[in-house]
Amino acid sequence: MRLLLVLCHYFGRAKSEDGAVYSSQLDPFARIAAVNAAVVEAYRHFGPRRHGPDPSQRLPGDETQRALDIVMLQVPGFGLLDRIGIDPACYEVEPFDGPPMMLAFEAQRVLRERQGGYDWYGVVEDDMILRDQLFFDKLAAFQAAFGPQRLLQATNYEMAQSGRPAMVARDPALSDTLLAPFRRPGHAERLAMDWRGAEQSFVRPANPHARSYFLSDAQLRLWTAAPTFYDRDASWVGPIESAMSLSIGRTFDLYRAAAPDPFFLSIQHHGTRYARPAAPPGVTYGDEPLLEIVHQLAASAATDPAAAQSRASFNDLVAERDRLLYDLKGLRRSRSQLFKALLNALLHKDRG
């Protein structure tokens, strides 16, 4: 299986056109853990690097053919990739020199430019984690049963890792007004298919904002041929919600898993920000204990002026590095465009 995974990675503050401020800079340690987990779990379940003590030999029974490309789409100077602990050779950075709130729309451009090279294409926010190794088998079964015009979204959940472990779906139901753009004639309310000998049902989502989407090659071709593809229409809730949900909802009939397993196809949102308030009385849903230890150590280090100055200098270096990388990519694109222009001029001259 060939998979392209685009992560919309941003760490900083962004302001929308209506003046509202959206802050992703809530907790740098949690975001580092989230992006690390997103990359590691993608490689664990869908990546090519799988071997035993001798890396030159395949493990007996491992007949899978895997190809995984990860693109980190980010605004230069606003990211944490230097701190996630992952070899940079494991992903490609695609810079976007535009408003951070429009970052997810640029993921559509990345998909269009790479169309035809993969079996599956995914776009996810950078704190969304795939933990199901059957994820794409389930998507393939759904599409085989109902065709490419219907798209199965993953259920968002958070996993409490301290207090009482619990898997908590995070999205509340939306009003009929907000759901109106996703309803059309012929959009069946319920579907059902056989999955490993049992019936699994699917329903129109009560909240179509899944913070991710995954398409087959056939679905991507349908979408890029639609007049609304990459139109950057941010009219539904906000730019992020429109880019991740409205755009696909205009082309596809969206569904989510229902009975008997609403977590049949699911994706984890790192942390417990939404799960904590849903805990029953007397019960606590919390994050991994290591994060609390890191927060305590950081609080202690914050009182040391030398440590604070060191952090500031490091942040300046990272920002300058990202700016230089962006400039270099721009020069490469300009060179490529110039070469194409010269080639076209020569061809027209020969024909004349």
Side-chain angles (χ1 to χ4, degrees), residues 267-310:
I267 186 168
Q268 181 185 353
H269 178 252
H270 186 271
T272 55
R273 181 156 52 120
Y274 298 92
R276 283 195 300 270
V283 173
T284 300
Y285 294 160
D287 295 329
E288 54 264 57
L290 281 177
L291 271 180
E292 180 60 30
I293 295 172
V294 171
H295 289 148
Q296 292 173 358
L297 291 173
S300 299
T303 61
D304 183 350
Q309 180 60 41
S310 177

mmCIF file of all heavy atoms in Angstrom, residues 267-310:
data_model
loop_
_atom_site.group_PDB
_atom_site.id
_atom_site.type_symbol
_atom_site.label_atom_id
_atom_site.label_comp_id
_atom_site.label_asym_id
_atom_site.label_seq_id
_atom_site.Cartn_x
_atom_site.Cartn_y
_atom_site.Cartn_z
ATOM 1 N N ILE A 267 -9.795 7.897 15.046
ATOM 2 C CA ILE A 267 -8.494 8.560 15.090
ATOM 3 C C ILE A 267 -8.402 9.300 16.419
ATOM 4 O O ILE A 267 -9.359 9.918 16.866
ATOM 5 C CB ILE A 267 -8.309 9.515 13.882
ATOM 6 C CG1 ILE A 267 -6.897 10.103 13.856
ATOM 7 C CG2 ILE A 267 -9.365 10.614 13.860
ATOM 8 C CD1 ILE A 267 -6.568 10.814 12.541
ATOM 9 N N GLN A 268 -7.248 9.214 17.069
ATOM 10 C CA GLN A 268 -7.090 9.777 18.411
ATOM 11 C C GLN A 268 -6.617 11.220 18.360
ATOM 12 O O GLN A 268 -5.666 11.556 17.652
ATOM 13 C CB GLN A 268 -6.095 8.956 19.227
ATOM 14 C CG GLN A 268 -5.905 9.468 20.647
ATOM 15 C CD GLN A 268 -4.828 8.721 21.407
ATOM 16 O OE1 GLN A 268 -4.295 7.722 20.938
ATOM 17 N NE2 GLN A 268 -4.494 9.198 22.592
ATOM 18 N N HIS A 269 -7.286 12.063 19.142
ATOM 19 C CA HIS A 269 -6.804 13.414 19.395
ATOM 20 C C HIS A 269 -5.953 13.363 20.646
ATOM 21 O O HIS A 269 -6.399 12.904 21.699
ATOM 22 C CB HIS A 269 -7.974 14.385 19.587
ATOM 23 C CG HIS A 269 -7.538 15.786 19.893
ATOM 24 N ND1 HIS A 269 -7.680 16.363 21.136
ATOM 25 C CD2 HIS A 269 -6.932 16.723 19.117
ATOM 26 C CE1 HIS A 269 -7.206 17.597 21.118
ATOM 27 N NE2 HIS A 269 -6.737 17.840 19.909
ATOM 28 N N HIS A 270 -4.708 13.830 20.545
ATOM 29 C CA HIS A 270 -3.792 13.733 21.677
ATOM 30 C C HIS A 270 -4.275 14.601 22.832
ATOM 31 O O HIS A 270 -4.728 15.725 22.657
ATOM 32 C CB HIS A 270 -2.389 14.181 21.270
ATOM 33 C CG HIS A 270 -1.370 13.980 22.344
ATOM 34 N ND1 HIS A 270 -1.097 14.931 23.299
ATOM 35 C CD2 HIS A 270 -0.568 12.918 22.629
ATOM 36 C CE1 HIS A 270 -0.174 14.476 24.110
ATOM 37 N NE2 HIS A 270 0.177 13.264 23.729
ATOM 38 N N GLY A 271 -4.155 14.051 24.052
ATOM 39 C CA GLY A 271 -4.536 14.791 25.240
ATOM 40 C C GLY A 271 -5.940 14.463 25.707
ATOM 41 O O GLY A 271 -6.622 13.590 25.142
ATOM 42 N N THR A 272 -6.381 15.187 26.739
ATOM 43 C CA THR A 272 -7.709 14.939 27.320
ATOM 44 C C THR A 272 -8.459 16.257 27.567
ATOM 45 O O THR A 272 -9.294 16.327 28.464
ATOM 46 C CB THR A 272 -7.577 14.156 28.647
ATOM 47 O OG1 THR A 272 -6.695 14.884 29.530
ATOM 48 C CG2 THR A 272 -7.024 12.770 28.422
ATOM 49 N N ARG A 273 -8.175 17.259 26.760
ATOM 50 C CA ARG A 273 -8.799 18.560 26.983
ATOM 51 C C ARG A 273 -10.317 18.476 26.881
ATOM 52 O O ARG A 273 -11.037 19.155 27.598
ATOM 53 C CB ARG A 273 -8.262 19.567 25.965
ATOM 54 C CG ARG A 273 -8.824 20.971 26.128
ATOM 55 C CD ARG A 273 -7.896 22.016 25.535
ATOM 56 N NE ARG A 273 -7.515 21.707 24.167
ATOM 57 C CZ ARG A 273 -7.786 22.510 23.137
ATOM 58 N NH1 ARG A 273 -8.452 23.624 23.323
ATOM 59 N NH2 ARG A 273 -7.363 22.212 21.940
ATOM 60 N N TYR A 274 -10.807 17.636 25.960
ATOM 61 C CA TYR A 274 -12.250 17.493 25.788
ATOM 62 C C TYR A 274 -12.809 16.336 26.613
ATOM 63 O O TYR A 274 -13.990 16.344 26.972
ATOM 64 C CB TYR A 274 -12.578 17.297 24.312
ATOM 65 C CG TYR A 274 -12.179 18.475 23.459
ATOM 66 C CD1 TYR A 274 -10.925 18.519 22.846
ATOM 67 C CD2 TYR A 274 -13.034 19.560 23.279
ATOM 68 C CE1 TYR A 274 -10.550 19.607 22.079
ATOM 69 C CE2 TYR A 274 -12.662 20.648 22.514
ATOM 70 C CZ TYR A 274 -11.419 20.671 21.912
ATOM 71 O OH TYR A 274 -11.037 21.746 21.159
ATOM 72 N N ALA A 275 -11.983 15.346 26.897
ATOM 73 C CA ALA A 275 -12.456 14.193 27.666
ATOM 74 C C ALA A 275 -12.634 14.527 29.145
ATOM 75 O O ALA A 275 -13.550 14.012 29.799
ATOM 76 C CB ALA A 275 -11.479 13.022 27.508
ATOM 77 N N ARG A 276 -11.756 15.374 29.694
ATOM 78 C CA ARG A 276 -11.801 15.650 31.136
ATOM 79 C C ARG A 276 -13.170 16.121 31.615
ATOM 80 O O ARG A 276 -13.687 15.613 32.619
ATOM 81 C CB ARG A 276 -10.719 16.687 31.501
ATOM 82 C CG ARG A 276 -9.322 16.114 31.570
ATOM 83 C CD ARG A 276 -8.360 17.061 32.289
ATOM 84 N NE ARG A 276 -8.251 18.349 31.650
ATOM 85 C CZ ARG A 276 -7.364 18.654 30.702
ATOM 86 N NH1 ARG A 276 -6.508 17.732 30.284
ATOM 87 N NH2 ARG A 276 -7.321 19.862 30.166
ATOM 88 N N PRO A 277 -13.816 17.076 30.926
ATOM 89 C CA PRO A 277 -15.126 17.518 31.411
ATOM 90 C C PRO A 277 -16.210 16.452 31.298
ATOM 91 O O PRO A 277 -17.268 16.586 31.923
ATOM 92 C CB PRO A 277 -15.454 18.719 30.502
ATOM 93 C CG PRO A 277 -14.156 19.149 29.922
ATOM 94 C CD PRO A 277 -13.345 17.899 29.800
ATOM 95 N N ALA A 278 -15.966 15.398 30.507
ATOM 96 C CA ALA A 278 -16.968 14.351 30.314
ATOM 97 C C ALA A 278 -16.861 13.238 31.352
ATOM 98 O O ALA A 278 -17.655 12.292 31.330
ATOM 99 C CB ALA A 278 -16.830 13.756 28.913
ATOM 100 N N ALA A 279 -15.900 13.321 32.255
ATOM 101 C CA ALA A 279 -15.732 12.270 33.270
ATOM 102 C C ALA A 279 -16.928 12.250 34.227
ATOM 103 O O ALA A 279 -17.426 13.306 34.635
ATOM 104 C CB ALA A 279 -14.445 12.498 34.048
ATOM 105 N N PRO A 280 -17.407 11.059 34.610
ATOM 106 C CA PRO A 280 -18.512 10.964 35.575
ATOM 107 C C PRO A 280 -18.097 11.530 36.935
ATOM 108 O O PRO A 280 -16.895 11.678 37.215
ATOM 109 C CB PRO A 280 -18.773 9.449 35.664
ATOM 110 C CG PRO A 280 -18.136 8.870 34.445
ATOM 111 C CD PRO A 280 -16.972 9.751 34.121
ATOM 112 N N PRO A 281 -19.055 11.869 37.789
ATOM 113 C CA PRO A 281 -18.724 12.381 39.129
ATOM 114 C C PRO A 281 -17.806 11.435 39.889
ATOM 115 O O PRO A 281 -18.012 10.217 39.899
ATOM 116 C CB PRO A 281 -20.097 12.499 39.805
ATOM 117 C CG PRO A 281 -21.064 12.652 38.675
ATOM 118 C CD PRO A 281 -20.512 11.836 37.549
ATOM 119 N N GLY A 282 -16.764 11.994 40.480
ATOM 120 C CA GLY A 282 -15.825 11.195 41.258
ATOM 121 C C GLY A 282 -14.765 10.490 40.450
ATOM 122 O O GLY A 282 -13.931 9.778 41.012
ATOM 123 N N VAL A 283 -14.777 10.676 39.119
ATOM 124 C CA VAL A 283 -13.821 10.008 38.227
ATOM 125 C C VAL A 283 -12.957 11.066 37.552
ATOM 126 O O VAL A 283 -13.436 12.143 37.198
ATOM 127 C CB VAL A 283 -14.553 9.158 37.169
ATOM 128 C CG1 VAL A 283 -13.567 8.609 36.132
ATOM 129 C CG2 VAL A 283 -15.312 8.020 37.835
ATOM 130 N N THR A 284 -11.672 10.754 37.354
ATOM 131 C CA THR A 284 -10.742 11.678 36.694
ATOM 132 C C THR A 284 -10.229 11.067 35.402
ATOM 133 O O THR A 284 -9.821 9.900 35.381
ATOM 134 C CB THR A 284 -9.537 11.992 37.610
ATOM 135 O OG1 THR A 284 -10.012 12.591 38.807
ATOM 136 C CG2 THR A 284 -8.578 12.942 36.922
ATOM 137 N N TYR A 285 -10.275 11.837 34.322
ATOM 138 C CA TYR A 285 -9.643 11.480 33.058
ATOM 139 C C TYR A 285 -8.447 12.416 32.872
ATOM 140 O O TYR A 285 -8.623 13.634 32.763
ATOM 141 C CB TYR A 285 -10.596 11.656 31.882
ATOM 142 C CG TYR A 285 -11.789 10.729 31.858
ATOM 143 C CD1 TYR A 285 -12.923 11.032 31.105
ATOM 144 C CD2 TYR A 285 -11.787 9.529 32.579
ATOM 145 C CE1 TYR A 285 -14.009 10.185 31.062
ATOM 146 C CE2 TYR A 285 -12.877 8.673 32.548
ATOM 147 C CZ TYR A 285 -13.989 9.006 31.794
ATOM 148 O OH TYR A 285 -15.075 8.176 31.757
ATOM 149 N N GLY A 286 -7.230 11.877 32.831
ATOM 150 C CA GLY A 286 -6.052 12.726 32.747
ATOM 151 C C GLY A 286 -5.076 12.307 31.664
ATOM 152 O O GLY A 286 -5.211 11.253 31.042
ATOM 153 N N ASP A 287 -4.065 13.160 31.456
ATOM 154 C CA ASP A 287 -3.025 12.911 30.462
ATOM 155 C C ASP A 287 -1.975 11.949 31.013
ATOM 156 O O ASP A 287 -2.005 11.558 32.185
ATOM 157 C CB ASP A 287 -2.358 14.221 30.059
ATOM 158 C CG ASP A 287 -3.323 15.154 29.340
ATOM 159 O OD1 ASP A 287 -4.227 14.648 28.652
ATOM 160 O OD2 ASP A 287 -3.173 16.379 29.478
ATOM 161 N N GLU A 288 -0.988 11.608 30.158
ATOM 162 C CA GLU A 288 0.078 10.711 30.588
ATOM 163 C C GLU A 288 0.884 11.345 31.719
ATOM 164 O O GLU A 288 1.174 12.541 31.689
ATOM 165 C CB GLU A 288 0.979 10.317 29.420
ATOM 166 C CG GLU A 288 1.559 11.464 28.633
ATOM 167 C CD GLU A 288 0.751 11.783 27.398
ATOM 168 O OE1 GLU A 288 -0.449 12.063 27.534
ATOM 169 O OE2 GLU A 288 1.329 11.774 26.300
ATOM 170 N N PRO A 289 1.256 10.589 32.741
ATOM 171 C CA PRO A 289 1.952 11.147 33.908
ATOM 172 C C PRO A 289 3.267 11.831 33.567
ATOM 173 O O PRO A 289 3.661 12.785 34.243
ATOM 174 C CB PRO A 289 2.183 9.920 34.801
ATOM 175 C CG PRO A 289 1.134 8.943 34.391
ATOM 176 C CD PRO A 289 0.929 9.159 32.924
ATOM 177 N N LEU A 290 3.962 11.374 32.519
ATOM 178 C CA LEU A 290 5.244 11.978 32.171
ATOM 179 C C LEU A 290 5.100 13.459 31.827
ATOM 180 O O LEU A 290 6.010 14.256 32.075
ATOM 181 C CB LEU A 290 5.883 11.227 31.001
ATOM 182 C CG LEU A 290 6.577 9.904 31.351
ATOM 183 C CD1 LEU A 290 7.089 9.236 30.088
ATOM 184 C CD2 LEU A 290 7.713 10.129 32.340
ATOM 185 N N LEU A 291 3.969 13.849 31.243
ATOM 186 C CA LEU A 291 3.772 15.253 30.903
ATOM 187 C C LEU A 291 3.762 16.133 32.156
ATOM 188 O O LEU A 291 4.307 17.240 32.152
ATOM 189 C CB LEU A 291 2.463 15.445 30.138
ATOM 190 C CG LEU A 291 2.531 15.326 28.616
ATOM 191 C CD1 LEU A 291 1.160 15.538 28.006
ATOM 192 C CD2 LEU A 291 3.536 16.306 28.027
ATOM 193 N N GLU A 292 3.153 15.637 33.234
ATOM 194 C CA GLU A 292 3.123 16.406 34.467
ATOM 195 C C GLU A 292 4.531 16.573 35.036
ATOM 196 O O GLU A 292 4.894 17.645 35.533
ATOM 197 C CB GLU A 292 2.223 15.724 35.491
ATOM 198 C CG GLU A 292 2.118 16.444 36.830
ATOM 199 C CD GLU A 292 1.572 17.854 36.705
ATOM 200 O OE1 GLU A 292 0.773 18.113 35.774
ATOM 201 O OE2 GLU A 292 1.967 18.718 37.515
ATOM 202 N N ILE A 293 5.352 15.530 34.917
ATOM 203 C CA ILE A 293 6.737 15.611 35.382
ATOM 204 C C ILE A 293 7.509 16.662 34.568
ATOM 205 O O ILE A 293 8.259 17.478 35.117
ATOM 206 C CB ILE A 293 7.418 14.239 35.281
ATOM 207 C CG1 ILE A 293 6.740 13.242 36.234
ATOM 208 C CG2 ILE A 293 8.908 14.332 35.590
ATOM 209 C CD1 ILE A 293 7.215 11.821 36.074
ATOM 210 N N VAL A 294 7.314 16.645 33.257
ATOM 211 C CA VAL A 294 7.980 17.613 32.388
ATOM 212 C C VAL A 294 7.551 19.035 32.731
ATOM 213 O O VAL A 294 8.372 19.963 32.775
ATOM 214 C CB VAL A 294 7.680 17.304 30.905
ATOM 215 C CG1 VAL A 294 8.170 18.427 30.005
ATOM 216 C CG2 VAL A 294 8.343 15.998 30.494
ATOM 217 N N HIS A 295 6.258 19.230 32.995
ATOM 218 C CA HIS A 295 5.773 20.561 33.356
ATOM 219 C C HIS A 295 6.422 21.056 34.651
ATOM 220 O O HIS A 295 6.780 22.239 34.771
ATOM 221 C CB HIS A 295 4.249 20.532 33.516
ATOM 222 C CG HIS A 295 3.525 20.377 32.223
ATOM 223 N ND1 HIS A 295 2.324 19.713 32.114
ATOM 224 C CD2 HIS A 295 3.849 20.768 30.963
ATOM 225 C CE1 HIS A 295 1.931 19.728 30.861
ATOM 226 N NE2 HIS A 295 2.838 20.358 30.141
ATOM 227 N N GLN A 296 6.586 20.162 35.602
ATOM 228 C CA GLN A 296 7.211 20.544 36.867
ATOM 229 C C GLN A 296 8.670 20.933 36.662
ATOM 230 O O GLN A 296 9.143 21.934 37.219
ATOM 231 C CB GLN A 296 7.086 19.398 37.870
ATOM 232 C CG GLN A 296 5.658 19.134 38.330
ATOM 233 C CD GLN A 296 5.544 17.886 39.190
ATOM 234 O OE1 GLN A 296 6.541 17.184 39.426
ATOM 235 N NE2 GLN A 296 4.347 17.589 39.666
ATOM 236 N N LEU A 297 9.383 20.172 35.849
ATOM 237 C CA LEU A 297 10.780 20.489 35.568
ATOM 238 C C LEU A 297 10.901 21.819 34.824
ATOM 239 O O LEU A 297 11.805 22.623 35.085
ATOM 240 C CB LEU A 297 11.417 19.369 34.752
ATOM 241 C CG LEU A 297 11.620 18.031 35.475
ATOM 242 C CD1 LEU A 297 12.090 16.961 34.492
ATOM 243 C CD2 LEU A 297 12.621 18.186 36.611
ATOM 244 N N ALA A 298 9.988 22.057 33.894
ATOM 245 C CA ALA A 298 10.024 23.311 33.136
ATOM 246 C C ALA A 298 9.751 24.499 34.043
ATOM 247 O O ALA A 298 10.358 25.565 33.884
ATOM 248 C CB ALA A 298 8.997 23.259 32.007
ATOM 249 N N ALA A 299 8.825 24.331 34.983
ATOM 250 C CA ALA A 299 8.517 25.419 35.905
ATOM 251 C C ALA A 299 9.736 25.770 36.757
ATOM 252 O O ALA A 299 10.013 26.938 37.028
ATOM 253 C CB ALA A 299 7.345 25.035 36.793
ATOM 254 N N SER A 300 10.502 24.745 37.142
ATOM 255 C CA SER A 300 11.711 24.993 37.922
ATOM 256 C C SER A 300 12.773 25.706 37.085
ATOM 257 O O SER A 300 13.441 26.635 37.541
ATOM 258 C CB SER A 300 12.270 23.676 38.455
ATOM 259 O OG SER A 300 11.340 23.033 39.307
ATOM 260 N N ALA A 301 12.913 25.261 35.839
ATOM 261 C CA ALA A 301 13.928 25.856 34.962
ATOM 262 C C ALA A 301 13.581 27.288 34.596
ATOM 263 O O ALA A 301 14.470 28.103 34.309
ATOM 264 C CB ALA A 301 14.075 25.018 33.695
ATOM 265 N N ALA A 302 12.293 27.612 34.611
ATOM 266 C CA ALA A 302 11.873 28.960 34.209
ATOM 267 C C ALA A 302 12.375 30.042 35.162
ATOM 268 O O ALA A 302 12.461 31.219 34.802
ATOM 269 C CB ALA A 302 10.349 29.022 34.122
ATOM 270 N N THR A 303 12.723 29.650 36.385
ATOM 271 C CA THR A 303 13.214 30.629 37.361
ATOM 272 C C THR A 303 14.696 30.914 37.193
ATOM 273 O O THR A 303 15.239 31.779 37.877
ATOM 274 C CB THR A 303 12.952 30.116 38.784
ATOM 275 O OG1 THR A 303 13.662 28.877 38.981
ATOM 276 C CG2 THR A 303 11.462 29.887 39.025
ATOM 277 N N ASP A 304 15.373 30.181 36.276
ATOM 278 C CA ASP A 304 16.804 30.346 36.040
ATOM 279 C C ASP A 304 17.000 31.286 34.853
ATOM 280 O O ASP A 304 16.706 30.918 33.707
ATOM 281 C CB ASP A 304 17.427 28.979 35.743
ATOM 282 C CG ASP A 304 18.937 29.052 35.547
ATOM 283 O OD1 ASP A 304 19.465 30.184 35.456
ATOM 284 O OD2 ASP A 304 19.579 27.998 35.475
ATOM 285 N N PRO A 305 17.509 32.514 35.036
ATOM 286 C CA PRO A 305 17.663 33.474 33.928
ATOM 287 C C PRO A 305 18.554 32.951 32.808
ATOM 288 O O PRO A 305 18.290 33.196 31.638
ATOM 289 C CB PRO A 305 18.289 34.700 34.604
ATOM 290 C CG PRO A 305 17.942 34.561 36.055
ATOM 291 C CD PRO A 305 17.911 33.088 36.334
ATOM 292 N N ALA A 306 19.607 32.217 33.144
ATOM 293 C CA ALA A 306 20.507 31.694 32.111
ATOM 294 C C ALA A 306 19.773 30.702 31.214
ATOM 295 O O ALA A 306 19.946 30.687 29.992
ATOM 296 C CB ALA A 306 21.720 31.027 32.766
ATOM 297 N N ALA A 307 18.936 29.873 31.828
ATOM 298 C CA ALA A 307 18.174 28.896 31.050
ATOM 299 C C ALA A 307 17.179 29.588 30.121
ATOM 300 O O ALA A 307 16.996 29.189 28.970
ATOM 301 C CB ALA A 307 17.445 27.935 31.982
ATOM 302 N N ALA A 308 16.554 30.648 30.624
ATOM 303 C CA ALA A 308 15.595 31.387 29.803
ATOM 304 C C ALA A 308 16.278 32.023 28.591
ATOM 305 O O ALA A 308 15.747 31.999 27.474
ATOM 306 C CB ALA A 308 14.914 32.457 30.648
ATOM 307 N N GLN A 309 17.487 32.613 28.795
ATOM 308 C CA GLN A 309 18.225 33.219 27.694
ATOM 309 C C GLN A 309 18.640 32.177 26.670
ATOM 310 O O GLN A 309 18.590 32.398 25.459
ATOM 311 C CB GLN A 309 19.461 33.943 28.232
ATOM 312 C CG GLN A 309 20.300 34.619 27.146
ATOM 313 C CD GLN A 309 19.511 35.671 26.391
ATOM 314 O OE1 GLN A 309 18.755 36.425 26.986
ATOM 315 N NE2 GLN A 309 19.673 35.702 25.073
ATOM 316 N N SER A 310 19.012 30.994 27.148
ATOM 317 C CA SER A 310 19.408 29.912 26.245
ATOM 318 C C SER A 310 18.231 29.481 25.372
ATOM 319 O O SER A 310 18.384 29.254 24.174
ATOM 320 C CB SER A 310 19.925 28.717 27.058
ATOM 321 O OG SER A 310 20.241 27.640 26.212
#
